[in-house]
Amino acid sequence: MRHAMITAGTKGLGLKVTEAFLAAGYRVTVTYLSDEERAKALMETWGEHRVHIVQADVTKRDDCKQLVDAARSFAGRMDVFIHNAGPYVFEKKKLIDYSESEWNDMIDGNLTSSFHLLKEVVPIMREQQFGRIVFYGFQGANNAPGWIYRSAYAAAKVGLVSLMKTISIEEAAYGITANMVCPGNIMGEMKEATIAEARQHSDHNTPIGRSGTGEDIARTVMFLCEDNADMVTGTVVEVTGGVDVIHHYR
């Protein structure tokens, strides 16, 4: 049975991705940061043989290493790594107003954590001669745009684009692919909604006419992780419905 490791996969967008892999027959290691109740609910639904829950803070190197060790002990292999976790500063503030700790959290949680996790995950995938790695970004990240009030987060994710593309080249000979999915403006309950649910409500802010959902992201991630998706690597896939997330200057 194949195994997927998904950071922050117990709620929000991560939950829909976790559920998709479970429905496809995977065993899944999932992390949570603080919401233990949601984590337990997921395991109770699917059973401890299918779901392995690990509390981890991806901004900490030791937590990253312990996570991968625990995941390998659970399943004996590492077929898929989805890095869904990543801190975000919701308050709108210019770069000059960021504290050093806020800056460090954004860089460590979104970029440096990827380095630490890849250092642990890639050797396992090399042994298997197979692996699928997916990161998350934001609309336009592939082109390194400025994003007012989101400077630290944007800098980390744009750096991650380059890291992802480099890994996709360096590890291609081992049957490993790496890609990035960039969600649009998926908010609130839509993170855990289905496409059918979203189509029941119009969204005039999205050109396609409905909100994006967690299911949209899950479907994209699942495609990138298929065996026959090996020609798709080093790619940034935007799942936005045509919405413009970043070009708002007020």
Side-chain angles (χ1 to χ4, degrees):
M1 185 179 293
R2 284 196 167 172
H3 173 234
M5 185 178 78
I6 305 170
T7 60
T10 63
K11 60 183 180 180
L13 296 180
L15 175 62
K16 300 306 290 184
V17 175
T18 296
E19 290 175 340
F21 277 101
L22 287 166
Y26 281 69
R27 301 176 80 188
V28 182
T29 294
V30 191
T31 74
Y32 74 97
L33 180 60
S34 58
D35 195 338
E36 188 175 2
E37 288 188 10
R38 291 296 301 272
K40 287 182 177 179
L42 179 65
M43 189 169 66
E44 289 171 359
T45 299
W46 289 92
E48 61 182 16
H49 175 69
R50 297 289 309 282
V51 178
H52 178 219
I53 304 295
V54 179
Q55 194 281 329
D57 181 348
V58 298
T59 66
K60 299 178 179 178
R61 180 183 60 183
D62 289 346
D63 279 23
C64 291
K65 185 179 188 312
Q66 290 167 12
L67 164 61
V68 178
D69 288 344
R72 192 175 195 182
S73 295
F74 169 66
R77 55 187 299 115
M78 182 73 66
D79 300 287
V80 172
F81 164 43
I82 311 297
H83 198 10
N84 176 72
Y88 186 79
V89 175
F90 287 92
E91 180 186 355
K92 291 183 177 180
K93 55 173 67 179
K94 294 183 179 180
L95 172 65
I96 201 69
D97 297 319
Y98 273 76
S99 68
E100 184 174 353
S101 63
E102 287 174 326
W103 171 266
N104 289 338
D105 282 347
M106 292 300 100
I107 302 301
D108 290 346
N110 290 290
L111 181 57
T112 307
S113 63
S114 301
F115 165 72
H116 292 311
L117 288 164
L118 287 170
K119 288 278 286 183
E120 303 298 326
V121 166
V122 168
I124 303 172
M125 291 182 170
R126 283 180 173 182
E127 290 176 13
Q128 300 167 171
Q129 291 287 299
F130 178 88
R132 297 288 182 263
I133 298 167
V134 180
F135 298 105
Y136 284 10
F138 66 94
Q139 177 218 340
N142 199 30
N143 301 314
W147 191 2
I148 191 169
Y149 307 127
R150 307 295 184 212
S151 54
Y153 180 82
K157 290 297 189 181
V158 167
L160 186 56
V161 172
S162 182
L163 177 62
M164 175 275 293
K165 291 183 177 183
T166 302
I167 285 292
S168 76
I169 300 166
E170 292 179 344
E171 304 305 327
Y174 296 97
I176 300 170
T177 67
N179 293 284
M180 175 179 281
V181 174
C182 297
N185 193 27
I186 305 175
M187 305 295 289
E189 63 184 13
M190 287 296 103
K191 292 181 179 181
E192 298 183 11
T194 66
I195 293 170
E197 289 170 334
R199 285 179 175 153
Q200 295 175 11
H201 309 282
S202 61
D203 181 354
H204 301 297
N205 294 317
T206 303
I208 202 170
R210 69 166 175 86
S211 171
T213 69
E215 184 184 357
D216 290 296
I217 304 307
R219 286 169 58 87
T220 306
V221 170
M222 292 301 295
F223 163 71
L224 294 173
C225 294
E226 291 179 359
D227 287 8
N228 291 334
D230 52 337
M231 287 296 288
V232 185
T233 191
T235 299
V236 178
V237 182
E238 295 198 352
V239 187
T240 67
V243 73
D244 190 337
V245 175
I246 65 173
H247 295 112
H248 300 283
Y249 299 113
R250 297 188 196 178

